[in-house]
Amino acid sequence: MSMLTPPGMGGKYRITGDKYPRLRPRRRRGRLVAVVVACGAALGVAGWGTLQLIDVFTGGGKASATGAGCAVKSTKASPAASPAASAAALPQPAQITVNVFNATTRSGLAKTTADELKKRGFKIGEVGNATKQYDKKVAGTGLLLGPSSSLNTSLPVLATQLGTAERRTDAARKGAEIDLIIGDGFKALSSQADATKALTALTAPAPTATAKKGC
């Protein structure tokens, strides 16, 4: 064995002449695989980030299920039934019988008021002076009195003719007739135009605004 032969190489790699064997270390395949996987992951992340940037600047993509990032575009009114009474449950003036009583010291108010209500389509029952229970004891413009069943039916309809009148029900009262007791503050019924407007608003559903969202 030559002095130039590396130890452990044996006679296979004996150096002769001017040629020398190239000693190459073994390739580490594990490290190579790890490098390839890392490069692939980096490219994937870079591609995903690029797509996100494109969506941001172009406005693409769909809204998430939770509506995140959505802004209120507009509001739209939707009809909602009146809590007091629905239009279907309200009677027409011609279906309501009104008794008109005068609780003031001014004479003739009951008759003139009854005549005006009749012109506006109401049925008229009794007309005269109020009983001792209410005579000279109604300080406001008037008192609308009826049975419990009239609270959300005939009383609101009659109230359109005298909006400032107090409404009251009597659980012990029978029948469907209601009373209009004229008080000291009474001057006249609401104007025909105002009464018609109030009656229309009462029988029509009230709109409620609801927000509409979009992205």
Side-chain angles (χ1 to χ4, degrees), residues 23-213:
L23 303 180
R24 298 181 179 178
R26 294 181 180 179
R27 298 180 179 178
R28 298 182 180 178
R29 295 183 179 181
R31 180 179 298 179
L32 181 59
V33 171
V35 171
V36 172
V37 172
C39 291
L43 290 174
V45 172
W48 180 83
T50 302
L51 290 177
Q52 293 300 311
L53 289 175
I54 293 175
D55 285 342
V56 169
F57 288 105
T58 60
K62 296 182 179 180
S64 64
T66 58
C70 296
V72 176
K73 288 186 175 181
S74 61
T75 57
K76 184 179 181 181
S78 59
S82 172
S86 62
L90 293 175
Q92 297 297 318
Q95 299 173 302
I96 301 174
T97 300
V98 183
N99 302 317
V100 184
F101 300 113
N102 184 6
T104 73
T105 57
R106 293 173 288 170
S107 62
L109 284 181
K111 186 178 186 306
T112 56
T113 303
D115 290 343
E116 182 62 27
L117 287 175
K118 186 176 181 180
K119 291 179 182 178
R120 300 184 183 187
F122 291 88
K123 289 183 179 181
I124 302 302
E126 296 183 44
V127 179
N129 293 325
T131 62
K132 291 183 179 181
Q133 182 180 359
Y134 298 104
D135 189 28
K136 301 180 183 66
K137 296 177 182 179
V138 180
T141 58
L143 172 64
L144 307 183
L145 180 64
S148 299
S149 59
S150 66
L151 179 61
N152 294 325
T153 55
S154 54
L155 278 184
V157 176
L158 181 59
T160 60
Q161 311 302 309
L162 187 60
T164 56
E166 179 187 354
R167 305 180 201 179
R168 191 182 302 176
T169 59
D170 184 358
R173 182 164 178 163
K174 306 298 181 181
E177 294 183 358
I178 55 178
D179 299 342
L180 168 55
I181 304 175
I182 300 172
D184 292 335
F186 179 84
K187 293 182 178 179
L189 293 173
S190 301
S191 67
Q192 181 74 59
D194 290 343
T196 301
K197 183 178 179 180
L199 185 60
T200 301
L202 182 67
T203 56
T208 56
T210 56
K212 182 180 179 182
K213 293 183 178 181

